[in-house]
Amino acid sequence: MPETRIIHADDEEMKDAVREACALLRAGEIVALPTETVYGLAADALNPDAVAKVFAAKERPSFDPLIVHIASRGDLKTVAIVPEEIAEIVGKLTAAFWPGPLTLILPKHPDVPDLVTSGLPTVAVRQSAHPVFRAINKELGRPIAAPSANRFGRISPTSASAVVKELGGRIPLIVDAGACAEGVESTIISIEPRPGKKPIFHLHRAGPITKEQLQEYGKVEKFREKAGDLPHAPGQLPSHYAPLTPLILLENPADFKPEPGKKYGLLSYRGEDDSPYVTLHDWEIVEALSPGSGKLAEGAIRLFFVMRLLDEAGLDAIIAEPVSETGLGVAIMDRLRRASASR
Ligand code: TXA
Ligand code: MG
């Protein structure tokens, strides 16, 4: 593969970026594109050869299914078959949250190649809210399969430069539209209808659309694999989103036992000088998730960026402070737990 080109998708250059990305996608190539959550590695979802390139570039095992992105709600029927019993709730959810970071697991349309869904009878679908992604999806006129544009198991990229670090030299083009607005991957749910009652939403991955937001439409339960189910999708494996440097989620500051001579960095929530985590140790480096607003939304946006910074700081370990598990905090803690799971 020749070197990876980066094309900017600012207002004036948007048309060029859309044209170039679509030309490559039509030719069965793979392209990194910005979404509102994280950068995705895109391929024509209906072209199995192109989809195979996504798995190869990411070194992703073929049993980990991809998310399919559609340009409009009307396109849902081209990739999924919505059962009668959930048609109404699917309509409500897509009206409320699309375009946006909510992925629905639905029975798959036969046109979607098995490689995309790893042989599962279901497909994960969402409509991205990112203007550049939307323009490319619309212009292409076909669904786009796009997992996060990182190597398998690693930190998801929230900027074009992070994509270069993950996949530079492996893909022909990155469309650069700056930093991602959400910063963590979409919320993933499947829907279980209940006659006469609100449906159950099985939460496969916590994300920007929170439990609190979904509860208006149904009962939210953590997805649990049943015995005999197909292998776990690795997005749900305990170890994922992992820096190369060991990351330790320190639930209680008193549990920190630094080893002499080792270098530790702190992934703090606010980074305030007098916080019990900041004062705990003479850290090599302290990075705050939410130094400005102290809001979880800022923390989510900065999470993977800060994890990457700390990973590049030459530390022996990254110590992470927990955040409160409400709203977006659930998605942040999910990523921190998986990053800290032993490999
Ligand atoms: O925000 C996002 O969702 C980003 C952007 C690029 O759209 N994409 C993303 O894709 O995070 P990826 O591949 O990193 O995560 C997709 C995860 C899989 O690991 C798997 O856990 C789940 O989606 N998934 C996909 N299809 C599924 C299916 N049919 N059943 C259950 N889980 C599925
Ligand atoms: Mg991923």
Side-chain angles (χ1 to χ4, degrees), residues 63-65 105 117-118 120-122 188 190 192 201-205 221-238 338:
F63 57 80
D64 188 10
I105 297 175
T117 62
S118 301
L120 291 170
T122 52
I188 305 180
S190 56
E192 183 189 327
F201 302 142
H202 296 279
L203 185 66
H204 294 243
R205 179 171 72 186
E221 286 181 4
K222 215 171 164 201
F223 171 73
R224 299 209 189 285
E225 208 97 357
K226 290 188 210 79
D229 273 1
L230 285 155
H232 270 285
Q236 277 97 60
L237 283 182
R338 290 181 210 274

Side-chain angles (χ1 to χ4, degrees), residues 95-291:
F97 300 113
W98 281 6
L102 179 68
T103 296
L104 302 178
I105 297 175
L106 294 166
K108 122 184 183 9
H109 190 286
D111 284 354
V112 177
D114 285 333
L115 186 57
V116 172
T117 62
S118 301
L120 291 170
T122 52
V123 61
V125 194
R126 79 178 190 99
Q127 186 193 3
S128 170
H130 197 290
V132 174
F133 193 100
R134 290 185 75 177
I136 292 169
N137 211 165
K138 183 160 177 255
E139 174 70 23
L140 186 67
R142 292 167 76 86
I144 292 177
S148 50
N150 50 281
R151 276 170 287 156
F152 179 66
R154 297 287 322 278
I155 305 171
S156 300
T158 50
S159 67
S161 67
V163 179
V164 173
K165 286 177 188 153
E166 290 290 326
L167 299 173
R170 297 178 179 212
I171 60 174
L173 184 71
I174 299 170
V175 176
D176 182 354
C180 300
E182 301 282 0
V184 290
E185 303 85 347
S186 61
T187 305
I188 305 180
I189 60 168
S190 56
I191 303 166
E192 183 189 327
R194 291 189 300 177
K197 278 188 179 171
K198 279 187 176 177
I200 296 175
F201 302 142
H202 296 279
L203 185 66
H204 294 243
R205 179 171 72 186
I209 303 296
T210 62
K211 181 178 177 181
E212 291 83 348
Q213 284 173 289
L214 291 169
Q215 268 163 347
E216 194 182 320
Y217 303 89
K219 186 164 181 271
V220 182
E221 286 181 4
K222 215 171 164 201
F223 171 73
R224 299 209 189 285
E225 208 97 357
K226 290 188 210 79
D229 273 1
L230 285 155
H232 270 285
Q236 277 97 60
L237 283 182
S239 173
H240 212 77
Y241 313 106
L244 296 174
T245 313
L247 184 146
I248 298 160
L249 179 61
L250 190 66
E251 307 261 2
N252 179 359
D255 291 341
F256 182 50
K257 304 275 182 290
E259 288 177 40
K262 292 218 163 159
K263 293 182 182 168
Y264 297 95
L266 178 69
L267 200 172
S268 159
Y269 180 42
R270 298 294 312 274
E272 285 164 330
D273 287 346
D274 56 352
S275 96
Y277 281 85
V278 174
T279 53
L280 185 64
H281 183 73
D282 186 13
W283 306 103
E284 291 288 320
I285 171 173
V286 175
E287 288 291 345
L289 276 186
S290 185

